Amino acid sequence: MSTIHAPQRISAVPAALQHPDLADRTVRPNLVDRIAIKVAVRLLLWSTRPGPSRDALRARRRADATRSRRERVAARAFHTCAPLR
């Protein structure tokens, strides 16, 4: 069977199937839905933000190691001091 002889669909929806109120009315989401959409968009944007670069991570680790080393030296110096009289 070729497409020339095949039954064709009609492109227009019959007027009997159209609901008269839906064509005139604009559908708006309610307040809860609008808040949920805003929260979802902000979470999506927050979750796709770029992470720190490798250089920034190395610098942060280096700063943490330096700080902890400084604190250990200070604690050791404090504990080895002679008691005050």
Side-chain angles (χ1 to χ4, degrees):
M1 179 186 235
S2 69
T3 57
I4 295 174
H5 301 293
Q8 303 295 316
R9 294 182 191 211
I10 56 172
S11 61
V13 177
L17 296 177
Q18 292 180 348
H19 195 280
D21 292 340
L22 293 179
D24 299 336
R25 189 176 66 163
T26 303
V27 179
R28 289 191 59 192
N30 60 15
L31 179 65
V32 175
D33 289 339
R34 286 185 290 183
I35 292 172
I37 290 170
K38 287 183 181 184
V39 168
V41 167
R42 288 189 179 158
L43 283 173
L44 180 66
L45 290 175
W46 179 81
S47 68
T48 57
R49 71 188 192 288
S53 65
R54 288 182 178 170
D55 294 335
L57 289 173
R58 281 191 209 114
R60 189 178 305 152
R61 284 189 199 118
R62 199 176 312 118
D64 289 343
T66 304
R67 186 181 332 100
S68 68
R69 190 178 312 116
R70 205 177 14 210
E71 289 172 357
R72 281 195 312 266
V73 168
R76 205 174 301 135
F78 176 76
H79 290 297
T80 58
C81 289
L84 297 175
R85 294 185 192 211

